Amino acid sequence: MNLILWRHADAEPGTIDLERPLTSKGHKQAARVAEWLKEHLPADTRLVSSQATRAIETLSALSLSFEQDARVNPCAAAEDYLETAGWPDAQGSVLITGHQPSIGHVLAELLGPNPAGWSVKKGSVWWLQHRVRDGVAQTVLKAMISAEML
């Protein structure tokens, strides 16, 4: 399976966390990353967003239908992300648009120990793949792309 993690793009500050929209810069970041994703996402990719406005607006840049799932809302545990995705046994690809530090904790769990978690830039995408080679389970980082790289 492929697990693609997309941290929401730059968002406005605010006191009601789930209602914070993207900034103008955030919309540009999301559009740039969405263009790259459109060229690379498998056709059967399941798209999931947190219920936060900034995540919904980020994923909306793909102009594809998606589901919202509270299990990937801000401050979710890495296990919630992995359960939502069906990692590592689900078939096909899943893209989750979510939040830091949760995405960093998922990366730490899948890529190796780092007590502080991994830092994930706003608007970036981390694409991981689970596979079995010669009977050994592996997690492969297929791509990491940030809006600044596009």
Side-chain angles (χ1 to χ4, degrees):
M1 90 163 282
N2 290 300
L3 174 59
I4 304 150
L5 301 171
W6 188 4
R7 183 178 178 198
H8 68 79
D10 191 59
E12 297 286 349
T15 56
I16 303 174
D17 192 45
L18 288 178
E19 296 179 6
R20 295 173 42 220
L22 294 181
T23 62
S24 175
K25 175 182 175 181
H27 283 286
K28 291 174 188 172
Q29 288 173 333
R32 283 194 305 266
V33 174
E35 285 304 312
W36 181 86
L37 284 168
K38 285 177 188 176
E39 294 178 24
H40 295 89
L41 280 179
D44 66 344
T45 301
R46 180 175 149 235
L47 304 175
V48 181
S49 174
S50 138
Q51 295 173 320
T53 299
R54 60 195 181 277
I56 293 167
E57 289 180 348
T58 297
L59 189 51
S60 292
L62 276 174
S63 299
L64 298 170
S65 61
F66 60 88
E67 61 191 84
Q68 295 177 35
D69 196 315
R71 293 178 295 176
V72 295
N73 278 357
C75 301
E79 295 77 24
D80 295 328
Y81 273 66
L82 296 174
E83 179 183 304
T84 300
W87 181 271
D89 299 318
Q91 297 299 308
S93 301
V94 177
L95 181 151
I96 297 176
T97 303
H99 309 272
Q100 186 63 2
S102 301
I103 290 175
H105 292 158
V106 172
L107 295 172
E109 184 166 325
L110 298 180
L111 296 175
N114 182 343
W118 290 69
S119 180
V120 178
K121 291 187 65 73
K122 291 179 181 171
S124 67
V125 171
W126 291 65
W127 185 325
L128 302 130
Q129 181 180 54
H130 178 266
R131 65 183 183 194
V132 177
R133 287 269 169 95
D134 300 321
V136 177
Q138 300 175 333
T139 299
V140 178
L141 176 60
K142 290 189 70 167
M144 191 302 277
I145 192 92
S146 65
E148 294 84 5
M149 296 173 70
L150 301 174

